[in-house]
Amino acid sequence: AFNFGITGSTDRGAMAKIISDMIVPEFVPQQGVRIETDESAAAPTVNASADDVEEAAKSLPPPSSLASVRLSTAEFEKDDDTNFHIDYVTATSNLRAKCYRIEPADRHKTKGIAGRIIPAIATTTAVVSGLSCLELVKLIDNRKKLEDYKNGFVNLALPFFGFSEPIAAPKQTYNSTDFTLWDRFDIPHNITIGALIDFFRNDHNLDVTMLSCGVSMLFSFFFPKKKLEERKKMKVSQAVEAVKKEELPAYMNHLVLEAFASNDAGDDVDLPYIRVNIRK
């Protein structure tokens, strides 16, 4: 409220009344979410498609609508009880602690801890956060030139601030087509394994010999003939579920596959990852 110039209330009684009238909906765990407890298991691959990024950009308000917005800086002050800063930190940190069965801290202890960590918040952490946000703004602005972006090197003890242009990603080639580790084959539909193999044969003159998703082998030339035919008829999501022996979570919209292939000369070629939209 202070940041946006909204007049708030400091009346504890009024706050207590508002809270007492609130109806908190009963917590219902999200379906299809699996929490991995095995540290040796492969980490799930999360990739945002170009459509996801575009939808996120469209949801942002136009810059013209924010012309009149003015933000006020709120400086953290632990010794001013009227700003409720310590009360807020105490409440939120104890809620977090309760989730992980950590012993909660009273207001006095919280105030002491907050007083000791202020220097860290106000220095290196703030610089790194600010520089990261600057690069994120460029990304949202759809900057295409590599020289528009910057790597930052900071040493506050000297002090030293240095910036350099990032190095372009190394290029690889298949059938005279250049690609980098950022490129993907985007498959817009949940097609079958056989259709995916045909896509590479017909559109790229490549023969897929193996196809995997994380640690799950979906297709390989050394599979028995019967198993090969069964896999070719499966959709990508069905093949992954069959190998993992579990359903894919409802929130997962894309699967990232890795393909091993050879060209017409019989030479193995490196390929970009394959991103399949399994919800269309």
Side-chain angles (χ1 to χ4, degrees), residues 241-263:
E241 290 177 336
V243 176
K244 289 188 172 183
K245 294 181 173 57
E246 61 182 27
E247 291 186 3
L248 295 173
Y251 62 82
M252 183 176 290
N253 296 323
H254 297 82
L255 286 172
V256 177
L257 312 182
E258 184 175 5
F260 295 86
S262 58
N263 56 23

Side-chain angles (χ1 to χ4, degrees), residues 123-137:
T123 54
T124 310
T125 307
V127 172
V128 173
S129 300
L131 294 176
S132 299
C133 288
L134 285 175
E135 298 306 305
L136 181 59
V137 169

Side-chain angles (χ1 to χ4, degrees), residues 14-69:
M15 293 181 187
K17 185 178 186 309
I18 293 173
I19 294 173
S20 65
D21 294 337
M22 291 178 62
I23 300 176
V24 180
E26 183 179 354
F27 172 72
V28 179
Q30 185 177 350
Q31 298 297 321
V33 177
R34 181 172 180 267
I35 300 176
E36 186 58 67
T37 57
D38 183 5
E39 295 183 359
S40 62
T45 304
V46 179
N47 280 273
S49 67
D51 292 339
D52 295 332
V53 176
E54 187 175 347
E55 287 182 13
K58 288 180 179 178
S59 67
L60 297 174
S64 58
S65 67
L66 304 175
S68 61
V69 176

